[in-house]
Amino acid sequence: MQMTMRVTIKDVARLSGVSAATVTRALQGHPRVLEATRLRVEEAAQELGYRPDHIARALVTGTSRTIGLLIPTVSDPYWAEVAEGIEQRAAEEDFSVLFASAHGNPSRAEKMLDVFLGKRVDGVVVTASAGAEFTVLDGTSAPAVVVGWDPPVAPAEVERAAGASVVALLDEEGRRAGAPIPHVAFDDVGAGRIAARHLLELGHRRIAFLGGPATLAALLRLLGARAVLEQAGVSLESAALGADALEDGRVAAVGLLQSEPRPTALVAFNDLVGVGALHAAHSLGLAVPGELSVIGFDDIALAGFVEPGLTTVRQPKREMGARAIDLLLSVMRHAPSPGGDRLAGSLVLRGSTAPPPSA
Amino acid sequence: MQMTMRVTIKDVARLSGVSAATVTRALQGHPRVLEATRLRVEEAAQELGYRPDHIARALVTGTSRTIGLLIPTVSDPYWAEVAEGIEQRAAEEDFSVLFASAHGNPSRAEKMLDVFLGKRVDGVVVTASAGAEFTVLDGTSAPAVVVGWDPPVAPAEVERAAGASVVALLDEEGRRAGAPIPHVAFDDVGAGRIAARHLLELGHRRIAFLGGPATLAALLRLLGARAVLEQAGVSLESAALGADALEDGRVAAVGLLQSEPRPTALVAFNDLVGVGALHAAHSLGLAVPGELSVIGFDDIALAGFVEPGLTTVRQPKREMGARAIDLLLSVMRHAPSPGGDRLAGSLVLRGSTAPPPSA
DNA sequence: TTGTAAGCGTTATCAC
DNA sequence: GTGATAACGCTTACAA
């Protein structure tokens, strides 16, 4: 029955014959401590298996080297990857991450944030798709950043903007207007352009867009794609969808593919919708990519597991997480808040796109 | 430039005209405190926006109400779901979770564990497939449990056990032998039985097993399935695979499906292998489930996204996470260590299984 | 029922 | 270069 006592700085001090203060200094690599002393202390610490108590340290220094991560859910692979990027970068900077999922429940989010604050996190990163999590941050004293912000937009606004230019939705620097706190986001407009350009280069001229729910991301991707296509004299029809991406994507694609003239390529708002479109093509007996090309966005794992593999515009999820930490650190250092960060997508070629049949 | 000072218990004490000790008592619902006092204190706390400092509390109570989660990676949806179960249950019990991914790097795992210990977590849950993470736990003082343990087994042992009975690999209570610390695992043997029974009931008599890498889980699933089949006078051929589940599954399935007599059903070690088998059937022009049935294990999201949907034996990942917390809490309470926990799978019917063609 | 005081394990400030 | 000593914000005996 060995009741193991915690070994404290005092034990190390005693064993190495110095004061606690010196132990601290020696162990932290403080400049003004005799080399011999440092060695003696380090040996003693080693021998006793001393591990500094971060709790006590945090109490006195006022910094816990811990950040809080509020995430909708980690079982969505998209968020999981972002989370991984966050954790990795945080670890590199010697920060731990406390995580909690709110599952879209604002009161839960609020409670978790409270817990974080009580545990004296040095900062908070909120991953959010809906933006509802923002309200939670309102009275918060801790530095905070948001990653992956994608607020819903009113249908009316979609209508209006769909005809107008992209600019209305972004501020002068191309960042999302109205974001209340520093954030890192995906360059949806640019991603839309990339997708459109790819199809154009393959020779497609009859292209349709399968939208998602009325969110900013869906809208921006559409606008980006349309801008490029119109410059080439190609118009882009679009269909809006509901919440069940896969199934709605399938149904909408079936509809589009039965219209005349049939599009030769589909731009899906995201990969899930894209896979739905693949299912639709399959059920209609249309060969992909022989008779129909499909391109998605995000590059979730599923895109690589279907047959044919889904060509997509990759979202650098891991890096977005890493950037969120960088941004948070700079906010914590009271550096002039950079406002936001917008990461570019990249084309991932798989089997679902090819030149149109006639070409 | 409002330098916001932290509001402490003393502020609340001052405002409500009592001592700090009484504030604590009032706020913790201590029985012996005047109702009037409690109210006064609560009001003051409310007014000042007082939030108890868990760091200070942890220092004095010696418990941080935080647990550490060491996870191989969270971008594997399997682990993500387990993690979610862990976080949820932990939150219900008023514990926060500090998480870190080791990415299969033992020295990293060791370092993260050290950080956890330094931050004085009350316990640690290690999610592990390989078992390598165990060594890390060796000298650890903190209570720890493992979830999802699936150690590799030597090929020789596989050979031997494949002919022998299941018992050799499990202890008397059906738990995994040799697990050095309390753990919660999936009932792989039972899951194998469930899969076999399902196919038997559909009328299949020519069945083959697509193994995974040489891990305990793969072996146990095979043995479970074989036990049931042999009782029905059906033999079970098996093929071992390499590490790339999807592609290896496809290749192995192509091989099996070209042998004579062709199996009418395939049991895949996991869903990824199962999807590979689906691809194989597709490329050979075999209709699923008309000419071939396929069943997998785990029920990852992908299983629901392919066409046809993959029938599978579901692993209750979320609940396994929850159980891990329960187990950890009981270890922390010095309750007689339950040793381990084994959760049963359940059949999830999708489109990939049906009676064999002749039936 | 409430207050006083000690102490949790560090680090920071000042002396020396 | 090193050592006392005073915090950090809270809980918990012990006293009142």
Side-chain angles (χ1 to χ4, degrees):
Chain A
M1 207 84 204
Q2 160 102 9
M3 180 57 182
T4 31
M5 268 305 168
R6 205 182 160 67
V7 14
T8 79
I9 202 171
K10 287 187 180 174
D11 300 315
V12 180
R14 199 171 6 244
L15 180 58
S16 51
V18 297
S19 74
T22 301
V23 173
T24 296
R25 288 190 282 250
L27 262 26
Q28 316 245 305
H30 197 92
R32 274 202 274 281
V33 38
L34 228 45
E35 195 51 30
T37 312
R38 186 190 313 284
L39 250 65
R40 211 142 33 86
V41 170
E42 272 165 358
E43 262 172 37
Q46 177 81 38
E47 183 177 335
L48 296 175
Y50 171 65
R51 212 192 316 263
D53 185 332
H54 285 247
I55 292 281
R57 180 180 291 174
L59 187 59
V60 55
T61 61
T63 156
S64 60
R65 292 208 84 78
T66 301
I67 65 121
L69 169 57
L70 204 55
I71 201 162
T73 169
V74 84
S75 66
D76 175 330
Y78 175 89
W79 290 124
E81 257 198 68
V82 173
E84 195 134 275
I86 289 173
E87 191 271 335
Q88 225 147 255
R89 191 92 188 75
E92 285 169 17
E93 300 284 348
D94 267 319
F95 277 83
S96 302
V97 6
L98 222 40
F99 96 101
S101 328
H103 297 279
N105 177 343
S107 87
R108 201 173 134 68
E110 200 158 345
K111 199 196 147 197
M112 300 324 298
L113 197 69
D114 236 57
V115 172
F116 285 170
L117 262 22
K119 297 211 164 147
R120 277 182 100 134
V121 295
D122 296 329
V124 176
V125 6
V126 176
T127 61
S129 47
E133 291 83 350
F134 274 169
T135 62
V136 140
L137 255 27
D138 270 353
T140 297
S141 44
V145 303
V146 168
V147 43
W149 187 46
D150 181 26
V153 290
E157 192 178 354
V158 178
E159 291 302 329
R160 214 174 331 117
S165 89
V166 164
V167 182
L169 292 159
L170 302 177
D171 67 19
E172 326 80 59
E173 282 149 66
R175 288 190 260 101
R176 282 149 197 248
I181 63 175
H183 64 283
V184 4
F186 181 52
D187 178 7
D188 293 301
V189 177
R193 287 200 207 98
I194 290 172
R197 213 171 290 132
H198 174 56
L199 294 178
L200 234 33
E201 279 167 6
L202 286 174
H204 291 274
R205 290 298 175 272
R206 291 198 306 280
I207 304 175
F209 187 92
L210 289 165
T215 66
L216 187 54
L219 184 53
L220 292 178
R221 289 168 191 185
L222 167 61
L223 295 180
R226 175 174 289 157
V228 165
L229 292 177
E230 284 184 345
Q231 228 167 15
V234 175
S235 73
L236 179 64
E237 200 186 335
S238 77
L241 277 57
D244 180 351
L246 186 78
E247 181 54 16
D248 288 352
R250 196 187 62 72
V251 171
V254 166
L256 279 172
L257 293 174
Q258 285 173 328
S259 63
E260 279 299 338
R262 179 153 52 70
T264 63
L266 258 26
V267 180
F269 147 69
N270 71 11
D271 288 340
L272 227 40
V273 171
V275 171
L278 253 27
H279 287 354
H282 185 76
S283 72
L284 293 177
L286 281 172
V288 175
E291 299 169 273
L292 175 75
S293 285
V294 178
I295 185 170
F297 290 90
D298 295 350
D299 193 28
I300 61 177
L302 177 61
F305 288 155
V306 290
E307 237 190 13
L310 183 69
T311 292
T312 190
V313 182
R314 178 165 199 290
Q315 192 168 157
K317 303 169 270 298
R318 219 168 288 257
E319 175 162 339
M320 285 169 66
R323 285 288 182 87
I325 291 295
D326 292 338
L327 189 59
L328 182 60
L329 290 180
S330 84
V331 171
M332 278 163 41
R333 285 190 212 98
H334 302 291
S337 164
D341 215 340
R342 208 164 93 264
L343 302 206
S346 56
L347 188 64
V348 176
L349 286 168
R350 293 210 179 85
S352 68
T353 52
S358 52
Chain B
M1 206 83 202
Q2 159 104 9
M3 180 59 180
T4 30
M5 269 303 167
R6 201 174 165 65
V7 14
T8 78
I9 201 171
K10 287 186 180 174
D11 300 315
V12 181
R14 200 172 4 246
L15 180 58
S16 51
V18 297
S19 74
T22 302
V23 173
T24 296
R25 289 189 281 249
L27 261 27
Q28 317 246 304
H30 198 93
R32 274 202 275 281
V33 37
L34 229 44
E35 195 50 31
T37 311
R38 185 189 314 284
L39 250 64
R40 213 143 30 87
V41 170
E42 273 165 358
E43 261 172 38
Q46 177 81 35
E47 183 176 336
L48 296 175
Y50 171 66
R51 210 190 319 261
D53 185 332
H54 285 248
I55 292 281
R57 178 179 293 173
L59 187 59
V60 54
T61 60
T63 157
S64 59
R65 294 209 82 80
T66 300
I67 65 122
L69 170 58
L70 204 55
I71 201 163
T73 169
V74 84
S75 65
D76 175 331
Y78 175 88
W79 290 123
E81 256 197 68
V82 173
E84 194 134 277
I86 289 173
E87 191 271 335
Q88 226 148 254
R89 191 94 189 73
E92 286 168 16
E93 300 284 347
D94 268 317
F95 277 83
S96 302
V97 6
L98 223 42
F99 95 102
S101 326
H103 297 278
N105 177 342
S107 86
R108 202 174 134 66
E110 202 159 345
K111 200 195 146 200
M112 301 323 299
L113 198 68
D114 236 56
V115 173
F116 285 170
L117 262 23
K119 296 210 164 146
R120 278 182 98 135
V121 295
D122 296 329
V124 176
V125 6
V126 176
T127 62
S129 48
E133 292 83 349
F134 274 169
T135 63
V136 139
L137 255 24
D138 270 354
T140 297
S141 43
V145 303
V146 168
V147 44
W149 186 47
D150 183 25
V153 290
E157 192 177 356
V158 177
E159 291 302 328
R160 212 174 332 116
S165 89
V166 164
V167 182
L169 293 159
L170 301 178
D171 67 17
E172 326 79 60
E173 282 149 65
R175 288 189 261 100
R176 282 148 198 248
I181 62 175
H183 63 283
V184 5
F186 180 53
D187 179 6
D188 293 300
V189 176
R193 286 199 207 100
I194 290 172
R197 213 171 290 132
H198 174 56
L199 294 178
L200 234 32
E201 279 167 6
L202 286 174
H204 291 273
R205 290 298 176 271
R206 291 198 307 278
I207 304 176
F209 187 91
L210 288 165
T215 65
L216 186 54
L219 184 53
L220 293 179
R221 289 168 191 185
L222 167 61
L223 295 180
R226 176 173 289 155
V228 164
L229 292 177
E230 285 183 345
Q231 229 168 14
V234 175
S235 72
L236 179 63
E237 201 187 333
S238 77
L241 277 58
D244 181 351
L246 187 78
E247 180 56 15
D248 288 353
R250 196 188 62 73
V251 171
V254 166
L256 279 172
L257 293 175
Q258 285 172 329
S259 63
E260 281 297 336
R262 179 154 53 70
T264 62
L266 258 26
V267 180
F269 146 68
N270 71 12
D271 288 339
L272 227 41
V273 170
V275 170
L278 252 27
H279 288 354
H282 185 75
S283 71
L284 293 176
L286 281 173
V288 175
E291 298 169 272
L292 176 75
S293 285
V294 179
I295 185 169
F297 290 91
D298 295 350
D299 192 27
I300 62 177
L302 177 62
F305 288 154
V306 291
E307 237 190 13
L310 183 69
T311 293
T312 191
V313 181
R314 178 165 199 288
Q315 191 167 157
K317 303 171 270 299
R318 216 168 290 256
E319 175 163 339
M320 283 169 66
R323 285 288 183 87
I325 291 295
D326 291 338
L327 189 59
L328 182 60
L329 291 180
S330 84
V331 172
M332 279 162 43
R333 284 191 214 97
H334 303 291
S337 163
D341 215 340
R342 208 164 93 265
L343 303 207
S346 56
L347 188 64
V348 176
L349 286 167
R350 294 209 179 86
S352 68
T353 51
S358 52

